[in-house]
Amino acid sequence: MVGNGEVIAIDYSSPNIAKPFSIGHLRSTIIGHAIGNCLEKCGYKVIRINHLGDFGTQFGKIIYSYLHFGNKEAVKANPIPELVKLYVEFHERAKDQPGMEEEARKIFKELEQGNKEYHDLWSWFREVSLEDYLKVYQLLRVSFDSYDGEAFYNDKMQPVIDELQEKGLLIEDEGAMIVPLEEGTPPALIQKTDGSTLYITRDLAAFFYRKRVYQANKVLYVVGNEQKLHFQQLAQVIEKMGYPYAKDIIHVNFGLVLQDGKKMSTRKGKIVRLEDVLREAIRLSREYIEEKNPDLAEKELIAEKVGVSAIIFNDLKNYRGNDFEFNLEDSVNFFGQTGPYLQYTSVRIKSIFAEDTFVFDGKIDLNWFGSDDVFDMVKTISFYPGIIQRCVQEYAPSILAKYLLTLATQFNSFYGKEKILVSDRIERHTKLHLCRMIEFVIDDGMRLLGMQIIEKM
RNA sequence: GACUCGGUAGCUCAGCUGGAUAGAGCAACGGCCUUCUAAGCCGUCGGUCAGGCGUUCGAAUCGCCUCCGAGUCGCCA
């Protein structure tokens, strides 16, 4: 095992409380989850951290808005949409009432200092939002070891600031406290003019916490491309503090999900909700089942597994660092290079074993493996461990995704040409042995990607 | 303006530590189900690898320049 028990903390998913779970967070979630699975397979100990965006001035705004025009029942019934509504309402009204912004900042400051009323509200908003996210995580079959978000580090930043001060790294500039960095890198802003902290301050505290408490050898951040500079700064500040950790901070960056070449997200009035996308995928796979296999047992459950896995695979087959085009009609299409294609391949193999409960007894014809296409398949199978290692080295699940497509294609081609369950016992067992190996690799690979394995479809 | 990342078939993407005729899926067209699931298989069509210059025996891949797109560049995260 390459991992040798080394501890790797992965910071991924990390949705912003009181905001809808976006398609961008989906990318972080499934990329982080898949990388975590691959690392575990390689013998690493993985700590999965959902670094919730549960802090910041927006809470001042939401609390203000809730106290003035909010409604408890409405939030209870429909947490996230209602909280979003309050946030939007705040901004609409604040346009004409300049005092509101100031008021919201004040509320946030008091929240930070422990105001009971505000804290209770914040805690409630956090809880109901998290409940909503858990529904998505349940669909995706994703879970975390920790949900400590930004707020968790609220009381852990001062020691870091003190340390920066002691080491003489912190200087005042235009009223703010900054750490100057290497030539070409803008300085890191540690404290605002008003003394409040910033994103990087929290991330510094979080990094040291993860080093200390989790004994993490590396910390992976599955965060979008747009934060590249942030992580460069984070690594540089830590290096300037004298720690040899810069190389342990790994920004597993990813690109945007586009629609017609434009960013697919909360554009004017049109919020692309992840749950809607998943529901749509499930609905379409249900339609397929009705068309292709109407007598299938547990249709609803299969539809869910196929639909959700289709969305996951559609994302993971693309190299994470690049933007990719999300086309609902193409994910509607369950042909070709898709999750359902892999699941279908697995199901086909399983249906063979439904006819013959094969047990490997060593009596196979090894010469048969020498023939052209079979040899290619055996070669592909033998690449599997190396593929996983590359996945882990490059933090790129797409390598595994593409590989599985290759193997599945080879199998389907073979399956179309050759009958497996022939009467000759040696030949049959030789073929079944090959099928077993392929089934194992495809199922294991799908599992690592976070997809569902099904028996029938 | 500076820096970063992209530009490969009509569309979506691989390939990029240099190596032989640049691959796959979708779309289009044509075949294959009395036999293990046709969500499959087989075939046809489709590319001056954005453009130029350079390095090299050899460049989609490395370097430089230009064009186009995206992102980032002190008090958001």
Side-chain angles (χ1 to χ4, degrees):
Chain A
M1 288 285 184
V2 243
N4 200 23
E6 194 173 298
V7 178
I8 299 191
I10 315 183
D11 176 330
Y12 65 104
S13 195
S14 314
N16 295 321
I17 294 297
K19 287 193 185 156
F21 199 102
S22 72
I23 198 104
H25 291 122
L26 171 72
R27 282 216 89 182
S28 175
T29 307
I30 64 187
I31 291 168
H33 184 235
I35 290 171
N37 294 344
C38 292
L39 285 166
E40 273 170 358
K41 175 137 186 121
C42 291
Y44 293 90
K45 179 166 166 36
V46 175
I47 314 282
R48 299 161 185 271
I49 302 168
N50 193 341
H51 190 76
L52 296 173
D54 57 3
F55 218 57
T57 40
Q58 75 266 25
F59 285 95
K61 294 175 183 173
I62 295 170
I63 290 170
Y64 177 95
S65 200
Y66 175 78
L67 290 173
H68 287 79
F69 358 95
N71 174 312
K72 188 170 185 177
E73 295 311 313
V75 173
K76 260 188 182 165
N78 235 344
I80 296 197
E82 198 59 32
L83 292 173
V84 170
K85 220 171 97 185
L86 288 171
Y87 185 72
V88 170
E89 190 166 356
F90 178 91
H91 282 287
E92 278 170 4
R93 298 199 185 217
K95 269 187 274 182
D96 317 314
Q97 285 176 256
M100 279 173 64
E101 293 274 358
E102 186 57 36
E103 195 63 28
R105 267 196 294 275
K106 210 176 121 195
I107 291 174
F108 177 65
K109 192 149 184 118
E110 287 181 37
L111 167 66
E112 232 180 328
Q113 288 159 354
N115 176 302
K116 176 91 166 58
E117 185 193 7
Y118 298 155
H119 186 272
D120 286 349
L121 278 175
W122 168 82
S123 180
W124 179 48
F125 293 158
R126 184 182 192 273
E127 198 175 314
V128 291
S129 300
L130 195 50
E131 272 168 29
D132 247 36
Y133 303 146
L134 285 173
K135 284 183 216 158
V136 176
Y137 294 141
Q138 171 60 28
L139 266 179
L140 295 171
R141 305 285 196 277
V142 167
S143 61
F144 300 89
D145 299 307
S146 162
Y147 291 86
D148 293 334
E150 291 167 13
F152 177 77
Y153 296 100
N154 192 33
D155 60 357
K156 298 173 181 60
M157 287 179 282
Q158 196 53 49
V160 178
I161 296 171
D162 292 344
E163 188 177 340
L164 287 167
Q165 192 82 260
E166 282 161 24
K167 292 184 173 167
L169 299 170
L170 209 56
I171 63 166
E172 198 190 314
D173 191 90
E174 294 174 34
M177 299 307 281
I178 66 166
V179 174
L181 299 171
E182 290 164 24
E183 183 67 35
T185 310
L189 258 175
I190 303 294
Q191 256 180 331
K192 297 195 235 178
T193 313
D194 67 1
S196 58
T197 56
L198 284 133
Y199 184 39
I200 197 163
T201 324
R202 270 185 288 283
D203 254 0
L204 281 165
F207 178 78
F208 289 120
Y209 181 87
R210 289 160 184 176
K211 268 282 176 192
R212 191 177 67 249
V213 176
Y214 299 129
Q215 294 285 302
N217 297 86
K218 287 189 180 117
V219 182
L220 271 46
Y221 298 85
V222 186
V223 180
N225 286 334
E226 66 278 8
Q227 291 188 30
K228 221 163 194 172
L229 177 61
H230 167 73
F231 289 105
Q232 279 169 12
Q233 292 177 320
L234 184 69
Q236 281 188 32
V237 170
I238 287 168
E239 193 161 36
K240 292 203 100 171
M241 290 172 84
Y243 298 105
Y245 299 153
K247 63 176 192 333
D248 301 332
I249 294 166
I250 295 156
H251 179 204
V252 181
N253 60 307
F254 60 85
L256 298 172
V257 181
L258 305 176
Q259 214 167 21
D260 302 321
K262 277 178 268 173
K263 184 176 176 177
M264 178 181 183
S265 67
T266 59
R267 264 181 303 162
K268 276 201 173 169
K270 264 235 164 160
I271 293 168
V272 181
R273 295 187 17 169
L274 172 63
E275 226 179 314
D276 297 341
V277 173
L278 290 174
R279 296 282 165 216
E280 179 65 3
I282 293 166
R283 188 183 69 75
L284 289 159
S285 54
R286 192 185 301 122
E287 272 178 17
Y288 263 96
I289 293 168
E290 286 304 338
E291 186 192 326
K292 303 286 183 184
N293 199 354
D295 300 328
L296 185 68
E298 296 189 283
K299 278 191 272 197
E300 197 49 43
L301 184 63
I302 302 293
E304 182 188 305
K305 291 182 171 184
V306 171
V308 172
S309 293
I311 297 294
I312 292 173
F313 188 82
N314 183 248
D315 190 316
L316 290 181
K317 74 177 177 187
N318 297 294
Y319 176 69
R320 60 172 170 76
N322 298 335
D323 295 349
F324 82 93
E325 183 72 24
F326 181 87
N327 184 325
L328 197 62
E329 279 164 29
D330 277 353
S331 29
V332 166
N333 245 348
F334 291 149
F335 315 116
Q337 304 172 325
T338 64
Y341 178 76
L342 292 181
Q343 287 171 318
Y344 181 71
T345 307
S346 164
V347 163
R348 277 181 132 185
I349 299 174
K350 286 174 173 54
S351 76
I352 298 167
F353 290 115
E355 302 296 318
D356 185 328
T357 51
F358 166 72
V359 178
F360 180 62
D361 59 4
K363 290 176 186 161
I364 58 168
D365 179 11
L366 287 172
N367 290 324
W368 180 77
F369 286 116
S371 76
D372 42 298
D373 51 344
V374 176
F375 184 66
D376 283 342
M377 248 188 298
V378 174
K379 241 171 35 186
T380 305
I381 292 166
S382 74
F383 294 155
Y384 185 55
I387 291 289
I388 307 274
Q389 282 192 33
R390 271 191 65 205
C391 251
V392 162
Q393 275 160 15
E394 298 177 36
Y395 309 107
S398 60
I399 294 168
L400 174 56
K402 298 280 186 190
Y403 163 83
L404 293 176
L405 285 174
T406 303
L407 182 59
T409 302
Q410 284 179 336
F411 172 78
N412 280 317
S413 171
F414 168 75
Y415 182 91
K417 279 184 274 199
E418 292 259 5
K419 182 152 173 67
I420 312 290
L421 298 170
V422 293
S423 51
D424 182 87
R425 196 184 144 85
I426 294 280
E427 186 186 341
R428 189 170 76 234
H429 277 210
T430 305
K431 287 174 169 171
L432 285 169
H433 180 54
L434 179 67
C435 288
R436 266 278 187 260
M437 293 193 287
I438 294 166
E439 180 196 22
F440 171 79
V441 172
I442 289 180
D443 284 1
D444 194 57
M446 286 199 293
R447 178 185 67 77
L448 293 178
L449 293 179
M451 295 170 63
Q452 299 293 310
I453 291 146
I454 52 185
E455 298 295 317
K456 288 191 167 129
M457 68 188 281

